[in-house]
Amino acid sequence: MTAGRNSAVGEQASAAPEKAAKGVKGTRGAGGAAASAGKGAGRSGDAGASGGAAGSGGKRAAAKKTGAAKPVKKAVAAKPVKKAVVAKPATKAAAAKPAKPVKKTAAKPESRTALVRRARRINRELAEVYPYAHPELDFENPFQLLVATVLSAQTTDLRVNQTTPALFAKYPTPEDLAVANPEDVEELIRPTGFFRAKTKSIMGLAAALRDEFGGEVPGRLEDLVKLPGVGRKTAFVVMGNAFGRPGITVDTHFGRLVRRWKWTEETDPDKVEKAVGELFPKSDWTMLSHRVIFHGRRICHARKPACGACPIAPLCPAYGEGETDPEKAKKLLKYEKGGFPGQRLKPPQSYLDAGGIPAPPLGATAPPATGE
């Protein structure tokens, strides 16, 4: 019996290692199987020690697995933060900032009321700059002014003023000019250009004055425009300066400036006259014409406006088309503003008091005028 018990116990003891070996292949892992085998052998001996070692080895393996996961968390947490710091939206916002000036330049259309106010303010400013503004053709009576204005087409007032003294000395009245020898008249007015066509015009209007108006220049627009070579521009010059009746003179200077100032976009002289006339009371028309023409000849030139020396620059939509540097702009000024002779041989005293210099007679050696 004792031998049988010992035999049974030995079989059980020998079976334990086999079960432990099978446990190594189980889901509990090598550490758990070895520990069970150690306990089955009485928690002593090499099997228990190896089971504890295997168990601690399993824990280290698990620790290594958990430790390997930490860099993943750092990488996931760190990289998105860095990308967020590189603020691309800020770059877009910065790129959008230069667009603001574009919005400013796209100015709203000027209202009619604002246009009228700005136009009248320009006129007031010009009145302070040119208190001596006047017609720049020499004349002593309506007939001389009428003839001089017709001759001023396609030439300067200076050239006309240098030419008419000899003409009026020989033909002082409409009756005298009407019966003149055309060739003699052509020779006298040759310096003004287009002398043949102009000879026909001034001799024709002289004859009309003699035959239809008793040798007197009429003071009404409808009568003046019937004369040969006389249009609305010439008629308004005569009406405003010889008879004191309001009129707008639309010459090349006037038309250029009012378009630069956005008073109108019209190019036809009659339409320009109508558009500008609606911005001002009639009492301002004649002097407005003188001031605008003065400004066009002295500062706001066709090719090189002296923007940097312009007194109405803050009111001008075209500021910057010309020279904006003040020192360079001063060199572009003409006539009394630039210290040069004016266009009239016999200018008004107010012009001389303001520093204006009389123009030299034809053929004189005095410094030439520099007008357009």
Side-chain angles (χ1 to χ4, degrees), residues 72-92:
V72 176
K73 290 180 181 179
K74 288 180 181 178
V76 172
K79 289 183 180 178
V81 172
K82 289 180 181 179
K83 288 181 180 178
V85 171
V86 180
K88 289 184 178 179
T91 306
K92 290 181 181 179

Side-chain angles (χ1 to χ4, degrees), residues 42 134 195 256 267 269 335 337:
H134 58 272
F195 55 92
R256 179 179 73 252
T267 56
Y335 302 121
K337 294 297 181 184

Side-chain angles (χ1 to χ4, degrees), residues 231-233 236 250 266-276:
R232 291 179 67 88
K233 168 195 165 184
F236 281 129
V250 183
E266 299 290 350
T267 56
D268 179 80
D270 292 350
K271 292 181 179 179
V272 171
E273 173 203 323
K274 182 178 185 299
V276 175

Side-chain angles (χ1 to χ4, degrees), residues 5-198:
R5 287 177 186 171
N6 291 337
S7 174
V9 171
E11 287 177 1
Q12 290 177 359
S14 63
E18 292 179 3
K19 292 180 180 179
K22 290 180 181 179
V24 172
K25 297 178 182 179
T27 57
R28 291 167 59 188
S36 299
K39 289 177 182 179
R43 298 182 183 178
S44 61
D46 293 339
S50 63
S56 61
K59 290 179 181 180
R60 284 196 297 270
K64 286 181 181 179
K65 288 181 181 179
T66 56
K70 289 180 181 179
V72 176
K73 290 180 181 179
K74 288 180 181 178
V76 172
K79 289 183 180 178
V81 172
K82 289 180 181 179
K83 288 181 180 178
V85 171
V86 180
K88 289 184 178 179
T91 306
K92 290 181 181 179
K97 286 182 181 179
K100 290 183 179 179
V102 176
K103 292 180 181 179
K104 290 181 180 180
T105 54
K108 294 181 180 179
E110 189 175 34
S111 68
R112 179 70 180 179
T113 300
L115 171 61
V116 172
R117 288 176 178 172
R118 183 170 61 85
R120 294 186 180 186
R121 184 178 173 187
I122 288 177
N123 184 38
R124 291 194 299 270
E125 295 286 341
L126 294 180
E128 294 182 7
V129 178
Y130 309 107
Y132 46 80
H134 58 272
E136 294 191 90
L137 289 170
D138 283 325
F139 68 98
E140 295 177 358
N141 55 58
F143 172 65
Q144 289 186 359
L145 179 58
L146 177 60
V147 172
T149 306
V150 172
L151 294 178
S152 69
Q154 305 299 317
T155 190
T156 64
D157 288 355
L158 168 64
R159 183 62 63 183
V160 174
N161 292 337
Q162 292 174 328
T163 303
T164 52
L167 178 69
F168 295 142
K170 190 169 186 178
Y171 310 110
T173 67
E175 292 82 359
D176 295 326
L177 184 58
V179 296
N181 183 340
E183 293 182 358
D184 293 340
V185 176
E186 288 177 2
E187 192 60 30
L188 287 171
I189 68 171
R190 183 184 292 270
T192 66
F194 303 97
F195 55 92
R196 291 190 178 88
K198 289 180 180 180

Side-chain angles (χ1 to χ4, degrees), residues 256-262 300-303 305 316-318 321:
R256 179 179 73 252
L257 267 61
V258 298
R259 284 187 289 273
R260 278 181 177 169
W261 296 336
K262 304 299 182 184
C300 196
H301 311 134
R303 290 180 293 277
C316 181
E321 287 187 8

Side-chain angles (χ1 to χ4, degrees), residues 263-285:
W263 290 2
T264 181
E265 294 182 358
E266 299 290 350
T267 56
D268 179 80
D270 292 350
K271 292 181 179 179
V272 171
E273 173 203 323
K274 182 178 185 299
V276 175
E278 292 174 350
L279 302 176
F280 298 89
K282 286 186 177 182
S283 58
D284 290 348
W285 287 0

